Amino acid sequence: VHGKEVKLLDKISETVPFVIVGDPKRLRQILINLTGNALKFTEKGSVTLSVSRDTQFVQASGKKLALRFEITDTGIGMSPEVSGKLFQAFTQADSSTARKFGGTGLGLSICKKLVELMGGKIGVLSEVGKGSTFWFEIPTEEVSTTANVLEMPDLSGISVLSVEDHPQ
């Protein structure tokens, strides 16, 4: 987006298994929505996706592993009153946020439903002017494999264009 200086970072714990049993479609939809929101509300700084086994809420009920995903941004943040209502359908921080950033307010309620369908929990920690951390935890299982490294292409120097159908 024009004028934004935002780094997209990842922090995946070495204790996270290389392959897990899960629902990739639901997981992808949640991660895209939460990361997209973080990028939308961050003008400069960073958005970091973290994955760890450090769960607080989900017990691996019958499953052998629970994972915690966190999307942390250095964006505008929000008050506790606002963050307490975010996962309800059609809820946004306020009407000026809807005008400035666009969106229907459905994304977070859909994320909540998807996380719950996977047997997990979702939440947010935020402070006005200091950014937000959206997190979710899901139970899963590790698939034993000898692979522990995936060769990824070098993306340094690549530019990313984000397009929003908002009139501004």
Side-chain angles (χ1 to χ4, degrees), residues 98-113:
R99 282 192 303 274
K100 182 175 180 183
F101 296 103
T104 61
L106 277 172
L108 292 175
S109 65
I110 291 170
C111 286
K112 181 177 190 240
K113 184 67 174 170

Side-chain angles (χ1 to χ4, degrees), residues 108-136:
L108 292 175
S109 65
I110 291 170
C111 286
K112 181 177 190 240
K113 184 67 174 170
L114 292 173
V115 168
E116 289 172 349
L117 285 170
M118 292 189 286
K121 294 195 183 294
I122 189 169
V124 62
L125 304 167
S126 187
E127 191 174 335
V128 175
K130 295 191 177 182
S132 302
T133 297
F134 282 84
W135 60 267
F136 64 97

Side-chain angles (χ1 to χ4, degrees), residues 40 100-104 162-168:
K40 186 188 299 188
K100 182 175 180 183
F101 296 103
T104 61
S162 175
V163 179
E164 172 76 30
D165 63 347
H166 195 274
Q168 292 177 335

Side-chain angles (χ1 to χ4, degrees), residues 77-89:
M78 65 195 108
S79 69
E81 298 78 35
V82 170
S83 62
K85 301 177 198 171
L86 274 186
F87 295 100
Q88 300 168 12

Side-chain angles (χ1 to χ4, degrees), residues 119-157:
K121 294 195 183 294
I122 189 169
V124 62
L125 304 167
S126 187
E127 191 174 335
V128 175
K130 295 191 177 182
S132 302
T133 297
F134 282 84
W135 60 267
F136 64 97
E137 296 181 356
I138 55 171
T140 187
E141 295 178 49
E142 181 176 359
V143 175
S144 65
T145 176
T146 57
N148 60 5
V149 176
L150 177 62
E151 289 297 320
M152 298 296 285
D154 180 13
L155 300 178
S156 37

Side-chain angles (χ1 to χ4, degrees), residues 66-79:
L67 292 177
R68 181 176 178 93
F69 295 80
E70 294 182 349
I71 294 82
T72 303
D73 66 62
T74 57
I76 62 175
M78 65 195 108
S79 69

Side-chain angles (χ1 to χ4, degrees), residues 4-80:
K4 286 196 175 196
E5 296 177 25
V6 181
K7 291 181 183 178
L8 186 57
L9 307 170
D10 65 83
K11 188 171 139 188
I12 301 173
S13 169
E14 291 182 12
T15 63
V16 172
F18 187 66
V19 180
I20 61 168
V21 174
D23 187 331
K25 187 174 182 180
R26 287 180 181 163
L27 185 58
R28 185 179 310 112
Q29 187 172 0
I30 296 163
L31 290 172
I32 287 172
N33 188 284
L34 295 179
T35 303
N37 283 349
L39 289 167
K40 186 188 299 188
F41 293 103
T42 304
E43 288 296 319
K44 62 181 178 179
S46 63
V47 172
T48 304
L49 167 63
S50 304
V51 185
S52 72
R53 294 174 80 155
D54 301 329
T55 59
Q56 299 172 20
F57 300 100
V58 172
Q59 302 303 317
S61 57
K63 298 200 176 184
K64 299 176 179 129
L65 174 69
L67 292 177
R68 181 176 178 93
F69 295 80
E70 294 182 349
I71 294 82
T72 303
D73 66 62
T74 57
I76 62 175
M78 65 195 108
S79 69

